[in-house]
Amino acid sequence: MSQTLYYSTNLTADKVSFKDALLKGLAPDGGLYMPESIPAFTKEEIKSFSRKEYYEIAFDVARKYLHDVIEDEELMALVKDAYNYDVPLEKVYEKKYIMHLDQGPTASFKDFAARMMGRLMQYFLNKENRNLLILTATSGDTGSAIANAFYGLDNIKVIVLFPEKEVTDRQRKQMTTLQKNVQIISIDGKFDDCQAFVKTAFNDRDLISLNLSSANSINIGRLIPQSIYYMYAYSRLCSVSKGEKIIFSVPSGNFGDLMGGLIAHKMGLPLRKFVVATNKNDEVPEYFKSGNYKTIVPSLNCISSAMNVGHPSNMARIVALYGGVMNEKGEVVKQPDMNAMKQDMFTVSIDDKETLATLKMVYERHGALLEPHGAVGWAGLRHYFKFTPEEHDTEQVAVSLETAHPAKFPKEIKNILGFDPELPISLKGLEEKAEQFVKLENNYEIFRQYLKDNYQ
Ligand SMILES: *Cc1c(COP(=O)(O)O)cnc(C)c1O
């Protein structure tokens, strides 16, 4: 097997190795890195997952890409260390499940990607005695997951930008109470502004000496980890021998989670459908309907705040996966195979009212506790079943992703259900810790000066 190379979705940058794609983040032509070919599992391999632990499946998936860059033993140790927590599959009714991706150290699904990416970066940097400054923007949960995953590492510094008014107190405290090599900056703007700062800084010649790297959902190092839990859920709930296919519902913002699922599908995951559920930021559902992609600027504020994205960065990758080209502005340079996309995905936009009604309904009818993002996913699944009633079969396995712990959204839960969700261990004790962060205006020049003054 020869080494997989990674190309840029803008198609004008050189192809690079996994290590370079991981440490660079964004390609020099502004595109996102994609594997040139996606390795596939045999049916036998997928069958074997039912006998394996989560981290062993993680090893098998990662090894398909990394077999010639990391020794097996190192890789096994790395995934075992990264995935030392549970991935509960909760039965809601019949064969309809919620997969709880909220048992990691920051109680959101971002931990899955951040922990593995952090360890991969550390592996390569240690080997070469290099340093990096990770610059990342967060709409809520990425920031704390990244900050946590990199916290205390010697050769990596981290800066996290967040929109001052768009994250919850708890989300903010999960980042601002860490300190050490982690600097948190609030921007008086929206998530999209933070993300634009990150992108501009990467292309800023004045900042080259900083050795900037990204840890956003644009980094290839996050996609591989985000395809593992799809394989895991299938292995626990479905049978390859019986030819069973699975439905996943994915609450989506930047579409990194979904992109992981699409990669899993390319690797052989027997798929019935991805239900792609967004909040009122419905640029992708609209694109599926009309074939015209129009970014939403500024993005709309919804209670599922980590999904308030008006131009998902991973769209360029999804378009590339289906043979098209989309540039970083969101212009479709070459239309992808829309029919194939619709074959794999059902898209739907869910408003806040329905999100809250779903949260309440799922709790009262089934006793399952969700938070707003997971509720968007569940609502999306209900739309899909309404749209295709024949799929709502008692034997059909469907899994809706719960992407954060309900305790991260105490106000919403209290308002609608009347109680305070219990904190997971990882979130206890935050209130007492001291916060430290820098507040900056929504002005790139000021941000650049800050970087030069503090990191150059
Ligand atoms: C980031 C996030 C999402 C959206 O995931 P994407 O990969 O950006 O689509 C959903 N829910 C929560 C809680 C998140 O933090």
Side-chain angles (χ1 to χ4, degrees), residues 108-110 139-142 171 217 222 226 250-258 306-307 309 314 371 373-374 403-404 409:
S108 98
F109 94 98
K110 301 289 197 312
S139 54
D141 289 323
T142 318
Q171 282 176 326
S217 50
R222 284 181 48 174
Q226 283 173 180
V250 188
S252 294
N254 259 316
F255 285 70
D257 197 356
L258 178 72
M307 305 187 334
V309 184
N314 276 290
E371 52 65 63
H373 304 81
T403 48
F409 301 88

